[in-house]
Amino acid sequence: MSTFHTTRRVEFRDTDAAGIMHFSAFFTKMEEAEHELLRSIGQSVYSRSKDGRLISWPRVAAECRYRGPAHFEDILDIAVHLERMGTSSVTFAFTFHRGDDLIAEGRITTVCCRLVEGSKPEPIPIPPEIREQLQRYLVVA
Amino acid sequence: MSTFHTTRRVEFRDTDAAGIMHFSAFFTKMEEAEHELLRSIGQSVYSRSKDGRLISWPRVAAECRYRGPAHFEDILDIAVHLERMGTSSVTFAFTFHRGDDLIAEGRITTVCCRLVEGSKPEPIPIPPEIREQLQRYLVVA
Amino acid sequence: MSTFHTTRRVEFRDTDAAGIMHFSAFFTKMEEAEHELLRSIGQSVYSRSKDGRLISWPRVAAECRYRGPAHFEDILDIAVHLERMGTSSVTFAFTFHRGDDLIAEGRITTVCCRLVEGSKPEPIPIPPEIREQLQRYLVVA
Amino acid sequence: MSTFHTTRRVEFRDTDAAGIMHFSAFFTKMEEAEHELLRSIGQSVYSRSKDGRLISWPRVAAECRYRGPAHFEDILDIAVHLERMGTSSVTFAFTFHRGDDLIAEGRITTVCCRLVEGSKPEPIPIPPEIREQLQRYLVVA
């Protein structure tokens, strides 16, 4: 099992009048890291399974715990792994560090859905070729 | 000619580490005011003309001049009028006041477009029934 | 025990390319509702306790569960109550409805801190006059 | 005269329900590019002049013209130069390209200010050491 790593700088728009990165900005950065992980395995938010179905991953839950403040221009290391992969759902776990300091820990749960024009997204089993690629980031208990 | 008025509070997420409303947040508030004006005349960002075409208004230009800072929880009065209405394009002009203080002045230019699935938005003359309703907010030179 | 209610419209900037309100936008709307609740009891994000200390409420945790999509121009009813009030910490619970449809449920945990220029926020017991006002929104188990 | 270059990917949160990058997101990306240029010459949004004064650059104007849509995951090349450098003010000019396609052109005007705790930012002449470093990005007419 390996962990996916990326970095993001705290941009000025990420900050608020308390002088620190706004708590909501951690969620967009988690999503950016998740999408970067997906691209690294040849997937995207919207992609096609081998059998031609249009796939997407709507979120069902998101959470974050804040351990310390991040400031403008800080560089944050974001580590991502899969905490759980069910039949259709995936839980990504994220940690944000600035150097050795833990800044935040978060989690996003998404469900693999088939998109059909004009219908609601329909949960489907994660296609085997995607499951195989995600496997490398899955924690082995 | 009349002016459309609405108000918006400066929310915490609108602020930045300088302790004031971020300059980009004026653009989203201008858009909110524009959409509120459109709703007030029975239109929306996406609406149908009388003859059934799906209409939208992509932006071609946006600008803002900043006259003074706005702070968290300030209530801003936003006044909107039409500075110009061409065959296809409309320029909305906005002013932001906090009480008597001018905070910012902005402008958004949009083009009336017909949306057709799978094609690029196609500029069309503003449908007469929409033109008539927008007229009331048009500055008479 | 009573519940605090407010409403927010889904603005265009709240949406994303999936055509629905972005999952991160629920967190800023939760914060807006929390601040509105605080204002309703004469408090703010920054306020002074009776004995003159400058008080603020940094977040330690935030979460949201998504039950259904919200679309541009939807009007969302946001209900807020206090799920728990400890010595220093408060957990606000939020539900988002569009009419009878549950759209999302969330939670933000904040800690009452004393702000002193140049130092880190220091957790303090919630001042009695603020505790008393928050009490009315606290769930009685 | 040289031009400063950076790139940004269109992240999912940058998009809106029209399926394209929201017009306001160009302003935050312009600011990110401006800050990156400042860092490249050893400056920041907040920095100290050689004689010890705390300097910042509040915006007085911002504008953008939209030439074509940007989509999720597009990589945008952002080019920045100084269009004008007055005694106190600087106008940055930006272009966004995706490959050879021009996506947008923008401009931000900022004023060099001295920050003194508890007072309003006071415009000052751009300190000579900063002026000299900015010079390399200034268009020579």
Side-chain angles (χ1 to χ4, degrees):
Chain A
M1 176 258 178
S2 62
T3 300
F4 181 81
H5 286 275
T6 187
T7 61
R8 283 292 182 283
R9 191 182 287 273
V10 179
E11 300 285 358
F12 201 61
R13 187 61 196 104
D14 294 326
T15 64
D16 61 34
I20 60 174
M21 181 159 135
H22 191 258
F23 81 104
S24 69
F26 287 89
F27 290 97
T28 48
K29 291 194 195 299
M30 282 191 246
E31 183 177 63
E32 291 179 22
E34 174 198 342
H35 290 171
E36 210 172 308
L37 182 155
L38 288 176
R39 278 193 296 274
S40 80
I41 58 166
Q43 298 296 318
S44 179
V45 179
Y46 299 103
S47 47
R48 289 207 177 266
S49 63
K50 245 180 163 175
D51 57 5
R53 293 176 297 176
L54 185 60
I55 303 287
S56 190
W57 302 86
R59 285 90 184 62
V60 293
E63 61 175 80
C64 192
R65 292 179 177 274
Y66 306 96
R67 305 304 190 187
H71 297 92
F72 176 53
E73 296 195 332
D74 282 353
I75 293 180
L76 302 179
D77 297 303
I78 311 177
V80 194
H81 65 261
L82 268 65
E83 201 174 79
R84 188 182 169 279
M85 179 155 54
T87 307
S88 301
S89 75
V90 173
T91 298
F92 294 95
F94 305 83
T95 56
F96 292 76
H97 281 86
R98 184 190 48 232
D100 290 337
D101 295 335
L102 177 63
I103 300 298
E105 298 168 282
R107 206 176 262 109
I108 294 178
T109 301
T110 65
V111 174
C112 187
C113 284
R114 178 190 186 182
L115 300 185
V116 179
E117 185 72 38
S119 311
K120 282 172 56 166
E122 175 205 347
I124 57 166
I126 301 168
E129 74 275 14
I130 301 181
R131 174 177 295 275
E132 196 192 322
Q133 288 165 316
L134 287 172
Q135 202 78 35
R136 82 180 78 161
Y137 295 118
L138 182 63
V139 164
V140 186
Chain B
M1 178 258 179
S2 63
T3 300
F4 181 82
H5 287 274
T6 186
T7 62
R8 282 294 182 283
R9 190 181 290 271
V10 180
E11 298 286 0
F12 200 62
R13 187 60 196 107
D14 295 324
T15 64
D16 60 34
I20 61 175
M21 181 159 134
H22 191 258
F23 82 104
S24 69
F26 287 89
F27 290 97
T28 45
K29 291 194 193 299
M30 283 191 243
E31 183 176 65
E32 291 179 22
E34 174 197 342
H35 289 171
E36 209 172 311
L37 181 155
L38 288 176
R39 278 193 296 272
S40 80
I41 59 166
Q43 298 296 318
S44 178
V45 178
Y46 299 102
S47 47
R48 290 208 175 265
S49 63
K50 246 180 162 172
D51 57 8
R53 293 177 298 177
L54 184 59
I55 303 286
S56 190
W57 303 85
R59 287 85 185 63
V60 293
E63 61 174 80
C64 191
R65 292 180 176 274
Y66 305 95
R67 306 303 189 187
H71 296 91
F72 175 54
E73 297 197 330
D74 282 354
I75 293 179
L76 303 179
D77 296 303
I78 310 176
V80 194
H81 66 261
L82 269 65
E83 201 174 78
R84 190 181 166 279
M85 179 155 54
T87 306
S88 300
S89 74
V90 173
T91 299
F92 293 95
F94 305 83
T95 55
F96 291 77
H97 281 86
R98 182 189 48 230
D100 290 336
D101 295 334
L102 178 63
I103 300 299
E105 298 169 281
R107 207 176 262 110
I108 293 177
T109 301
T110 65
V111 173
C112 187
C113 284
R114 180 191 185 182
L115 300 184
V116 180
E117 185 71 37
S119 313
K120 282 172 53 165
E122 174 204 348
I124 56 166
I126 300 167
E129 74 276 12
I130 300 181
R131 175 176 294 277
E132 196 192 322
Q133 288 166 316
L134 287 173
Q135 202 78 35
R136 83 180 79 162
Y137 295 118
L138 181 64
V139 163
V140 187
Chain C
M1 178 256 178
S2 62
T3 300
F4 181 81
H5 287 274
T6 186
T7 62
R8 282 294 182 284
R9 190 182 290 272
V10 180
E11 299 286 359
F12 200 61
R13 188 60 196 107
D14 295 325
T15 65
D16 61 33
I20 60 175
M21 182 158 134
H22 192 258
F23 81 104
S24 69
F26 286 89
F27 290 96
T28 47
K29 290 193 195 299
M30 281 191 244
E31 183 177 64
E32 291 180 22
E34 174 197 343
H35 290 171
E36 209 172 310
L37 181 155
L38 288 175
R39 278 193 297 273
S40 80
I41 60 167
Q43 298 296 318
S44 178
V45 178
Y46 299 101
S47 47
R48 289 207 177 267
S49 64
K50 246 180 163 174
D51 58 6
R53 293 177 298 175
L54 184 59
I55 302 287
S56 190
W57 303 84
R59 285 90 185 63
V60 293
E63 61 174 81
C64 191
R65 293 181 175 271
Y66 305 96
R67 305 305 189 186
H71 296 92
F72 175 54
E73 298 195 329
D74 281 354
I75 294 179
L76 302 179
D77 296 303
I78 310 176
V80 194
H81 66 262
L82 269 65
E83 201 173 77
R84 189 181 168 277
M85 179 154 54
T87 307
S88 301
S89 74
V90 173
T91 298
F92 293 95
F94 305 83
T95 55
F96 292 77
H97 281 86
R98 183 189 50 231
D100 291 337
D101 294 334
L102 177 63
I103 301 297
E105 297 168 282
R107 206 177 262 110
I108 293 178
T109 300
T110 66
V111 173
C112 187
C113 284
R114 179 189 185 184
L115 300 184
V116 180
E117 186 72 38
S119 312
K120 282 171 54 166
E122 175 205 346
I124 57 167
I126 301 167
E129 74 276 13
I130 301 181
R131 175 177 293 275
E132 196 192 322
Q133 289 165 316
L134 286 173
Q135 202 77 36
R136 82 180 78 161
Y137 296 117
L138 181 64
V139 163
V140 186
Chain D
M1 177 260 178
S2 62
T3 301
F4 181 82
H5 287 275
T6 187
T7 61
R8 282 293 182 282
R9 190 182 288 274
V10 179
E11 299 285 359
F12 201 62
R13 188 61 197 105
D14 295 325
T15 65
D16 61 32
I20 60 174
M21 181 159 134
H22 191 257
F23 81 105
S24 69
F26 287 89
F27 290 97
T28 46
K29 291 194 194 298
M30 283 191 244
E31 184 177 64
E32 291 179 22
E34 174 198 342
H35 290 170
E36 210 171 310
L37 182 155
L38 289 175
R39 278 194 297 272
S40 79
I41 60 167
Q43 298 296 318
S44 179
V45 178
Y46 298 101
S47 46
R48 289 208 178 264
S49 63
K50 246 179 161 173
D51 58 5
R53 293 176 297 177
L54 184 59
I55 303 287
S56 191
W57 303 85
R59 288 87 184 63
V60 293
E63 61 175 80
C64 192
R65 292 180 177 274
Y66 305 96
R67 306 305 190 187
H71 297 92
F72 175 54
E73 295 195 332
D74 282 354
I75 293 180
L76 302 179
D77 296 303
I78 311 176
V80 194
H81 65 261
L82 267 65
E83 200 174 78
R84 189 182 167 279
M85 178 155 55
T87 306
S88 301
S89 75
V90 173
T91 299
F92 293 95
F94 304 83
T95 55
F96 292 77
H97 281 86
R98 184 190 48 230
D100 290 338
D101 295 335
L102 177 63
I103 300 298
E105 298 168 282
R107 206 176 262 110
I108 293 178
T109 300
T110 65
V111 173
C112 187
C113 284
R114 179 192 186 181
L115 300 185
V116 180
E117 185 72 37
S119 311
K120 280 171 57 164
E122 175 205 347
I124 57 167
I126 301 167
E129 74 275 13
I130 301 181
R131 174 177 294 275
E132 197 192 321
Q133 289 165 315
L134 287 174
Q135 203 78 35
R136 82 180 77 161
Y137 295 118
L138 182 64
V139 164
V140 186

